[in-house]
Structures are given as structure tokens and as C-alpha cells.
């Protein structure tokens, strides 16, 4: 166990625990600082959304996925808008024109006709035109029109109670919270004959992300505590079920289910759209061509056949300003193509699922662990850096192909930041570990394990160094050699463990009574030495006597119950007065030491006393 605690992994774990503690403190701080928390969360959300956009753009470059050819956007494009202005002299066009379009398309027996248009009450519309439109819309059971919810104050527009037939039942068996974000108090109603008629009605509401881009659509929202479906969702549900669907279930895995189709919702009850291409990717058929078809102005072979098609009618002309920013870079979509994309996702079961927080945590922890291993086992800094960069690039490729192949959105921003931060911290930790290891090895090479004084080898090195420095700067330095009196007899009487205890305590006394600039060393056995830089003979003798007295006056603990007195004998030499080589200085100090021992011990002896 002790060996494990001395390993570099324990040291690294200590640094990582410290990092975790700092992160926890930061998290607690953010919890108490809502403004800063919102700024940070918003930054990461916007950054992560941008990575989604890049992945969607790359996927489209690879022509994945492929749009469904049965979806036709009947577009009021720029050319059609010019044509309609010339033909009818106004915009919006008379509503009976839409009635004629419906009756014409229905001859081909389309799967459904979806109007991304709001047929609201208008003083410009004539009664006959309205009646013709109402009759055509209510005549068939495969036509859908749009309506909007909002939160305008009741003194601006009085909210109405919608017919029961427009709402759907929702059984929510998950923690999905739709109400918090998609709960409306008012609505922009369409003609009452449509609300109460046979035509299907769905919502055209979309909420952009904070950067103004549409990435998600809620299939079901709340109005006056009842639930209502999105326009493309209600049409797509009937397409898949073969009949009108009035009840939906969100399972415990946050999927909204239609037969075998499981559409993954996020925590706000939104579906993440999977885009098929730039604007116009779905089959677009201009409305002016359709009107020409109706009036037999085109050859039969050139006419569009709408049999079994999903026809979505809406505006794409830039002058009509029904455009939305979408994830595909540098591109905007008309609202009608957003509906086409949603419907297409339903047909293909092709919505994007965002990874759950638990999976994200596992991903981040795995990346952190791999980065640690790369840095710790790399032989050089450059190799560690290049390996980490390649590892990060590999993860980026994985995040892209995970979305393209499995429709799974795994995070990029936090994992990338985790790799960068982990690399930096692990590199610092590795450097500190190496520094500590160097310090430990240096300590092993220079420090005596028992007394924790410098060892004999270090003493010899420093003695030579002091001679060189003193000779260069013409300074004096002194050497003190110390021997514990009657130490062998002490060992024989009390045992070697008590002897070791005395050695340690004598060493402590020497260090305590020496200057910080002095080098206190274990010379060998019971002998110790002190090198005193920039110290004359008189100063050295004074210090030696002070140390001698400190040892004499101390009570030494030899075991848990006994103390004993200990004395030392000391010899002193000074450079260059007593010698100019290590051998000369040691020999002169030894002579003083021998003099002290021969003349009663417990004193400072000098060689010139003989």
C-alpha cells in the first residue's frame, strides 16, 4: 500500500481531485450567480449549436440524407409572385383561386394538401371568394391549413375557445416538460367556417434558438391547457397511421410514438430537424406553372402529376419575407420548406436525437482519461501534443459520423475544452511529478536516511566547492567535526534502537543551533560535520562551543520512559589558515577532535593546543 501511495498515479490523482474540488466550488458559485451562469450556459449552447450546423452542412455535402420524392412544394416563388400580380392585380390573390387549385390537384388523388398559409378574416376578400375557398377546403378529408398561437395581451386580441376537434390528447410518461416553453395564451384565428368545418388545422409556430436559427420544432404545444399539433405533424401522423390520430404518447425514453415510429424529444418536447439540403432541395413546382396547367397552356407531358404526392403550398418569394435561418451555413429557408423537412423526417424516421446528459458525462470522462493516458505515457512533449491533437480530431470525425450514420448528436464543445484543459493540467501535473521525483532522487542521493542530515558524499562535494569559492573570493570558511562521546558503550547498554534515537536527536540539535547557510552533515557512524561558509576560526570556535553546550544541556529520550545525558567532542579547522585541501582541513579538525577526546571529552579541541 505504501508503495502505491508513492507512485506518480497517486500524485496525479491528488491533482485531479484538487481540480474536481475547484470545479465543484465553481459550480456552486455559478448556482448562486444566476446572471453569470446564464451567460456561460448561453455561450456553450450557442457554440454547441454551431457545431451542429457544421455537421449538418458537411452531411449535406455528402448528399445525406436524400429528400423524399413524394413531397412536392407548390411554391409561390418570385416568378409566380410576378405572374400572380400581373394576372390578378393584387396580393394576396383572390381566395377562389386556391379553391380552383385544390379542385385541380384533387383530380390526381394526392396523399395530402398542406397549406402553409393563414386564411384569416380579411376585408379585402370577397364573400364569394371566401365561400369558394371554404367549400373546397371542407370538401376533402386530406387538406390541412395553418394557424398561429401567440401570447398577445387580451386587450389587443381577445382569446377564443377553439373547437374540441382541433385538440389532441397527450399522455406524457416521461420528464419532458412542454408547458414551460410552449404554452400560449392567445391565437391568431382563421375563418370560423374552417375552424368548425372538416378541414384539418395545425400550427405553424416555430421558436428560433438564441442565435436566430431554427433547429428544433415542437410537434405538440399547449393553448389554454389543451394540446394542439404542429401542421406537418398532424398531416404526417395521418399519413403514417392511415387515419386521423387524436391521441399521442410520450414514453419513458422521451419518444413520441406513432405506430413503430419513435421520434426522440428533448427535455422541452422538441424534435431536432435533420436537414436535406439547401433551399429548393425538395421538389419545387412554381404556382404559375400549375395555373398554366389548369388553363391548358402547357403540354400534357410537362404537367405535374400529383398522384400520391404530399403537396405543401406556401410562399418562397423573398419579397413576401417568410424566410427562416436554418443550420445549413449561409442559407435561409422559406417556412414552407421547414414544413417539408419536418414531414420528410417523419416519413424517414430521420429526426436527430441529442445524447442524454449521462452519456455526455461518460464521453467527457472517457476523453479526460484518454488524454491523461496520452500525456502520462508520451515520451516527449511534442509527441504528447501531436497525439492529443490527433485524438481530438478523431473525436471530431466520430461526432460527425455519429450524426450522419446514427442521427445522434453527441457534444463537441465541452469535450474539446475538456481535452484542452486536461492536456494542460496533466502536462503541468506531469512536470510537477517529475520535479518531485527529481527532488526525491536528489534527496536520496544527498540526505542521510536516519538523521536527515546531508550525507558523506554531499559533505565531500560541498567541502571542495567551498574551497573553490573561498579561494576565488579570498574568503575564509570553517569546518567542524563532531563525535558523540562513548557512543559504542551507549549502544551496548541501551541497544541500537536507542542509539539511533540519540543520533537523530543530536542531528536535530545541531541543525537547530546552526545557521541556515551552514551545511550540517553526517560524516559517518556517530561522527557528524558542519561546514560554515564565510566564517573565521574565532567565529567557528564560538559556534562549536555553543553547540557543545546545547547538546550537554539537553535530555535525550532513549525510549518511551527513559532519558539520558549525551555529550560530544568537537574539532575545528579553518581555510586557508589550517589547510588548503580537503584532506588537510579534515586532518586538522580530526586532530582537534582527538585532543578533545584525550583530554576528558565534552569540549572543543584544537590541534594547536598540543
Amino acid at each position: 500500500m505504501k508503495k502505491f501511495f508513492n507512485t506518480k498515479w497517486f500524485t496525479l490523482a491528488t491533482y485531479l481531485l484538487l481540480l474536481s474540488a475547484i470545479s465543484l466550488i465553481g459550480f456552486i458559485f455559478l448556482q448562486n450567480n444566476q446572471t453569470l451562469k446564464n451567460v456561460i450556459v448561453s455561450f456553450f449552447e450557442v457554440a454547441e449549436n454551431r457545431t451542429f450546423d457544421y455537421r449538418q452542412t458537411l452531411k449535406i455535402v455528402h448528399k445525406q440524407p436524400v429528400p423524399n420524392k413524394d413531397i412536392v412544394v407548390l411554391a409561390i416563388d418570385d416568378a409566380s409572385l410576378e405572374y400572380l400580380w400581373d394576372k390578378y392585380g393584387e396580393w394576396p390573390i383572390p381566395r377562389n383561386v386556391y379553391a380552383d387549385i385544390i379542385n385541380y390537384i384533387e383530380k390526381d388523388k394526392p396523399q395530402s394538401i398542406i397549406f402553409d398559409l393563414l386564411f384569416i378574416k380579411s376585408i379585402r376578400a370577397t364573400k364569394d371568394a371566401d365561400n369558394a375557398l371554404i367549400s373546397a377546403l371542407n370538401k376533402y378529408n386530406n387538406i390541412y391549413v395553418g394557424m398561429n398561437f401567440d401570447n398577445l395581451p387580451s386587450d389587443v386580441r381577445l382569446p377564443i375557445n377553439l373547437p374540441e376537434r382541433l385538440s389532441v390528447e397527450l399522455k406524457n410518461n416521461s420528464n419532458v416538460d412542454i408547458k414551460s416553453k410552449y404554452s400560449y395564451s392567445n391565437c391568431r384565428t382563421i375563418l370560423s367556417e374552417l375552424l368548425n368545418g372538416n378541414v384539418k388545422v395545425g400550427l405553424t409556430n416555430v421558436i428560433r434558438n438564441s442565435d436566430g436559427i431554427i433547429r428544433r420544432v415542437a410537434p405538440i404545444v399547449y393553448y389554454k391547457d389543451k394540446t394542439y399539433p404542429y401542421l406537418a405533424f398532424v398531416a404526417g401522423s395521418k399519413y403514417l397511421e392511415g387515419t386521423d390520430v387524436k391521441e399521442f404518447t410520450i414514453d419513458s425514453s422521451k419518444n413520441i410514438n406513432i405506430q413503430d415510429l419513435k421520434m426522440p424529444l428533448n427535455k422541452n418536447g422538441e424534435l431536432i430537424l435533420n436537414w436535406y439540403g439547401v433551399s429548393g432541395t425538395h421538389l419545387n413546382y412554381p404556382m404559375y406553372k400549375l395555373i398554366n396547367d389548369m388553363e391548358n397552356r402547357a403540354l400534357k407531358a410537362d404537367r405535374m402529376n400529383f398522384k400520391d404526392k404530399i403537396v405543401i403550398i406556401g410562399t418562397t418569394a423573398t419579397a413576401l419575407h417568410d424566410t427562416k435561418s436554418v443550420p445549413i451555413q449561409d442559407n435561409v429557408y422559406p417556412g414552407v420548406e421547414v414544413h417539408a423537412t419536418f414531414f420528410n423526417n417523419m416519413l424517414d424516421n430521420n429526426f436527430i436525437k441529442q445524447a442524454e446528459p449521462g452519456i455526455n458525462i461518460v464521453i467527457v470522462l472517457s476523453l479526460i482519461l484518454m488524454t491523461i493516458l496520452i500525456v502520462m505515457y508520451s515520451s516527449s512533449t511534442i509527441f504528447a501534443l501531436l497525439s492529443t491533437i490527433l485524438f481530438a480530431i478523431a473525436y471530431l470525425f466520430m461526432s460527425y459520423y455519429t450524426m450522419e450514420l446514427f442521427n445522434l448528436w453527441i457534444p463537441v464543445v465541452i469535450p474539446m475544452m475538456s481535452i484542452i484543459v486536461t492536456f494542460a493540467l496533466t502536462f503541468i501535473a506531469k512536470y510537477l511529478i517529475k520535479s518531485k521525483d527529481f527532488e526525491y532522487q536528489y534527496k536520496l542521493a544527498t540526505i542521510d536516511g536516519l538523521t536527515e542530515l546531508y550525507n558523506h558524499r554531499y559533505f565531500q562535494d560541498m567541502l571542495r566547492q567551498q574551497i573553490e569559492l573561498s579561494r576565488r573570493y579570498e574568503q575564509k570558511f570553517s569546518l567542524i567535526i563532531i563525535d558523540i562521546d562513548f557512543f559504542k558503550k551507549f549502544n551496548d547498554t541501551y541497544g541500537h534502537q536507542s542509539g539511533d534515537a540519540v543520533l537523530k536527536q543530536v542531528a536535530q540539535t545541531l541543525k537547530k543551533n546552526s545557521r541556515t547557510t551552514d551545511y550540517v552533515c553526517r560524516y559517518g557512524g556517530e561522527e557528524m560535520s558542519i561546514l560554515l561558509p564565510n566564517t573565521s576560526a574565532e567565529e567557528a570556535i564560538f559556534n562549536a562551543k555553543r553547540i557543545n553546550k546545547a547538546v550537554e544541556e539537553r535530555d535525550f529520550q532513549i525510549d518511551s520512559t527513559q532519558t539520558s545525558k549525551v555529550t560530544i567532542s568537537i574539532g575545528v579547522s579553518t581555510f586557508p589558515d589550517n589547510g588548503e585541501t580537503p584532506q588537510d582541513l579534515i586532518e586538522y579538525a580530526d586532530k582537534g577532535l582527538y585532543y578533545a577526546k584525550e583530554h576528558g571529552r565534552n569540549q572543543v579541541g584544537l590541534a594547536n593546543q598540543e
Side-chain angles (χ1 to χ4, degrees), residues 310-572:
I310 298 115
V311 184
I312 307 178
I313 302 174
T315 62
T316 63
T318 54
L320 297 178
H321 305 294
D322 183 26
T323 55
K324 318 282 195 266
S325 296
V326 297
I328 304 152
Q329 288 185 352
D330 303 322
N331 197 46
V332 292
Y333 261 42
V336 64
E337 293 196 32
V338 176
H339 290 290
T341 301
F342 188 103
F343 201 112
N344 205 152
N345 280 181
M346 288 189 69
L347 299 189
D348 298 344
N349 192 12
N350 207 28
F351 291 102
I352 298 293
K353 180 177 182 180
Q354 196 159 12
E356 295 292 329
I359 295 176
N360 295 341
I361 291 172
V362 171
I363 289 172
V364 170
L365 291 178
S366 300
L367 295 177
I368 289 174
L369 178 60
M370 286 299 299
T371 305
I372 291 172
L373 293 174
I374 289 172
V375 176
M376 294 303 293
Y377 283 103
S378 294
S379 56
S380 68
T381 302
I382 294 178
F383 182 80
L385 178 61
L386 292 177
S387 298
T388 303
I389 291 173
L390 290 174
F391 176 60
I393 292 173
Y395 178 78
L396 290 175
F397 274 102
M398 186 183 78
S399 69
Y400 164 70
Y401 283 107
T402 301
M403 181 174 289
E404 179 176 312
L405 300 176
F406 306 106
N407 290 348
L408 181 62
W409 177 358
I410 60 175
V412 166
V413 176
I414 291 180
M416 287 297 104
M417 291 191 67
S418 299
I419 290 174
I420 294 169
V421 172
T422 302
F423 175 85
L425 294 178
T426 307
F427 184 80
I428 293 171
K430 185 177 180 181
Y431 173 79
L432 293 175
I433 289 169
K434 282 188 173 181
S435 298
K436 287 185 175 295
D437 188 55
F438 176 79
E439 290 175 7
Y440 178 69
Q441 295 297 329
Y442 181 76
K443 185 176 180 180
L444 287 178
T446 59
I447 302 297
D448 176 66
L450 177 63
T451 62
E452 295 187 355
L453 302 178
Y454 291 114
N455 60 24
H456 182 79
R457 178 179 177 182
Y458 186 82
F459 164 76
Q460 293 289 350
D461 290 341
M462 291 307 301
L463 178 58
R464 286 190 290 270
Q465 187 180 107
Q466 286 300 316
I467 290 173
E468 292 177 6
L469 289 172
S470 297
R471 183 177 289 122
R472 180 184 304 170
Y473 297 107
E474 297 182 353
Q475 295 175 344
K476 294 185 177 184
F477 84 91
S478 295
L479 166 66
I480 295 175
I481 292 182
I482 302 154
D483 186 78
I484 300 175
D485 296 333
F486 303 113
F487 187 73
K488 184 177 183 304
K489 182 178 179 181
F490 190 92
N491 274 338
D492 294 340
T493 304
Y494 298 105
H496 287 282
Q497 287 187 343
S498 295
D500 289 346
V502 168
L503 281 173
K504 289 181 182 179
Q505 292 171 71
V506 169
Q508 292 170 0
T509 306
L510 298 183
K511 289 174 71 174
K512 184 177 180 181
N513 289 274
S514 299
R515 301 171 300 183
T516 56
T517 55
D518 296 340
Y519 299 93
V520 185
C521 309
R522 185 178 183 184
Y523 189 74
E526 68 271 20
E527 286 190 313
M528 300 178 192
S529 61
I530 304 174
L531 291 171
L532 300 90
N534 198 22
T535 303
S536 66
E538 293 77 10
E539 293 171 325
I541 293 169
F542 177 81
N543 286 339
K545 290 180 178 180
R546 180 168 51 81
I547 290 170
N548 185 80
K549 184 177 181 181
V551 172
E552 180 185 8
E553 293 177 349
R554 175 171 177 172
D555 291 327
F556 287 83
Q557 196 78 35
I558 58 177
D559 58 32
S560 60
T561 59
Q562 296 184 79
T563 60
S564 177
K565 290 292 185 178
V566 173
T567 61
I568 57 175
S569 297
I570 301 175
V572 180

Side-chain angles (χ1 to χ4, degrees), residues 97-139:
V97 177
Y98 293 116
D100 295 337
I101 290 172
I102 292 169
N103 291 322
Y104 177 79
I105 295 175
E106 287 288 354
K107 291 178 181 179
D108 288 340
K109 299 190 181 303
Q111 176 64 40
S112 54
I113 300 175
I114 304 169
F115 279 92
D116 180 31
L117 298 170
L118 299 183
F119 295 117
I120 61 175
K121 186 177 180 180
S122 173
I123 59 174
R124 299 180 63 181
T126 66
K127 186 66 175 177
D128 290 341
D130 277 351
N131 288 338
L133 174 64
I134 293 166
S135 175
L137 290 173
N138 287 324
K139 179 179 178 182

